[in-house]
Amino acid sequence: MGSAVRRSGGTRATLAAALAASILAPFAGGALAQASAPAAAWPTKAIRLVSPFNPGGAIDVLNRVIAEKLGQRLGQQVIVDAVPGANTIVGADVVAKAAPDGYTFMITTMSTHVNNTVLFRKLPFDPVKDFAPITQVSLGSVLLTAPGTAGYSDLKGFIAWAKQQNRPISYGSWGIGSSANVYGEILARDHGVSLTHVPYKGEQPAITDVIGGSLDVTFASPVGAKPQVQSGKLKAIGMTGPGRSSAMPDVPTFAEQGYKGFELPIWVAAYAPAGTPKAIVDRLQKEIAAVIRLPDVLPKLIEQGQTPLGNSPEEFAASFARDAPKWIDFIKASGAKPE
């Protein structure tokens, strides 16, 4: 089975409640109430968009598309700085410690402010106090992939095959505590499969290892896996999320195949350092929302399996309040922990 956290029920419940309260704190008004004075003549120089992922990964690709168009709208270059590592912690720490002047922000996954808060006992930044939320950029889903030569093509076949092996089955993700890590642990726990988690710094190295035969399966984004699925090097076994992805509509969801617990969507969001003037936060939100709906950008999001949002900080707050506690329970129920 996958790795498991061993805590008493009372301790787990208390920790879950405390984590939920701390994660939701910035949306209760504090972090959204940055200085309201207008930012003078912003921007006047290039802006740094920190991408806490390996170059070429799904969100890094998305960040580069957004950066190009955002720069055109703002009249200043938006430079993507890939800072991967530790399930987005390394890149997020750069943003947390950056000057709150509007010239540094990041676009990251929910792992930064949900998963990592639960699964890492100590972070180099305060996820509540050190960031100003800008917008939820999109909702997304990921798929489980296997080698193109695998003798199975769906989840039922994969689980049957896995149980026949006399060893743990290795599965890849883009980091300890990532949504893919959680999905794998729940798959192991609920369906009696012996799995070993192999964390990578991004999805592309994991995909390469599945194709090469040194990794059994991996979770991946549609944009990362689709070319290899189309070429026959990979098989798409199932899609997480509440519905099929527009990027790969022929791939059934886990739920459609009879495997529940994988329906919650993951999200991508933009954050600035805490203390960034609200006028700049609002401008970034407005421009990002416009960029992701451009006719030459929207299809790229859909191809990645992303549904564009671009909501306001207040709408982000409501969505976060609804879904973050569910994810906390989801993560804790999986038994996933830092390895």
Side-chain angles (χ1 to χ4, degrees):
M1 290 289 290
S3 57
V5 175
R6 305 299 181 197
R7 293 193 180 100
S8 68
T11 301
R12 289 171 64 92
T14 301
L15 179 59
L19 286 167
S22 67
I23 291 172
L24 293 174
F27 300 96
L32 291 179
Q34 296 104 352
S36 59
W42 179 90
T44 60
K45 61 181 181 179
I47 298 168
R48 181 189 193 189
L49 168 50
V50 173
S51 178
F53 307 94
N54 267 359
I59 307 305
D60 184 76
V61 170
L62 172 63
N63 284 345
R64 293 175 192 279
V65 171
I66 291 174
E68 179 183 0
K69 299 297 182 180
L70 186 60
Q72 292 172 6
R73 295 182 66 89
L74 293 174
Q76 292 288 345
Q77 187 178 13
V78 178
I79 301 171
V80 177
D81 184 7
V83 188
N87 197 34
T88 77
I89 291 173
V90 177
D93 190 40
V94 170
V95 176
K97 293 176 171 57
D101 55 9
Y103 292 98
T104 301
F105 75 104
M106 73 175 169
I107 296 179
T108 185
T109 62
M110 54 171 273
S111 291
T112 306
H113 289 84
V114 178
N115 304 49
N116 291 350
T117 322
V118 177
L119 295 168
F120 290 84
R121 293 182 178 89
K122 185 175 182 181
L123 295 171
F125 51 79
D126 188 319
V128 175
K129 299 178 181 178
D130 290 344
F131 299 92
I134 299 170
T135 185
Q136 278 179 307
V137 177
S138 60
L139 300 179
S141 55
V142 298
L143 67 156
L144 180 65
T145 65
T149 56
Y152 52 86
S153 299
D154 57 17
L155 280 167
K156 182 179 180 181
F158 164 68
I159 291 173
W161 170 82
K163 289 180 177 179
Q164 292 171 359
Q165 310 307 304
N166 294 318
R167 61 176 177 82
I169 304 304
S170 58
Y171 78 95
S173 82
W174 43 93
I176 294 171
S178 64
S179 57
N181 182 192
V182 172
Y183 290 142
E185 296 301 322
I186 290 179
L187 189 61
R189 183 202 65 190
D190 291 352
H191 301 288
V193 183
S194 179
L195 297 178
T196 296
H197 178 221
V198 183
Y200 289 78
K201 286 187 176 181
E203 64 177 7
Q204 289 302 322
I207 289 172
T208 298
D209 282 355
V210 170
I211 294 172
S214 60
L215 184 69
D216 289 314
V217 295
T218 191
F219 287 92
S221 66
V223 71
K226 187 174 181 179
Q228 288 80 9
V229 171
Q230 291 176 328
S231 70
K233 294 179 180 179
L234 287 180
K235 284 186 178 180
I237 304 304
M239 189 78 68
T240 67
R244 295 197 182 197
S245 168
S246 298
M248 301 180 73
D250 294 335
V251 181
T253 65
F254 278 51
E256 286 180 284
Q257 297 182 61
Y259 297 88
K260 306 295 184 180
F262 304 86
E263 296 83 9
L264 272 177
I266 57 179
W267 65 79
V268 175
Y271 291 86
T276 300
K278 190 175 188 305
I280 293 178
V281 171
D282 290 345
R283 176 80 186 280
L284 281 169
Q285 181 275 322
K286 177 182 176 181
E287 299 298 350
I288 290 171
V291 163
I292 60 178
R293 287 172 173 79
L294 292 173
D296 55 346
V297 174
L298 180 58
K300 295 177 181 178
L301 266 74
I302 293 174
E303 182 181 347
Q304 288 192 0
Q306 300 286 331
T307 300
L309 285 182
N311 52 12
S312 69
E314 292 77 15
E315 291 166 336
F316 187 0
S319 175
F320 195 100
R322 180 184 66 246
D323 291 341
K326 297 176 184 177
W327 266 108
I328 291 172
D329 291 341
F330 195 12
I331 294 165
K332 292 184 68 62
S334 77
K337 68 175 185 179
E339 299 173 357

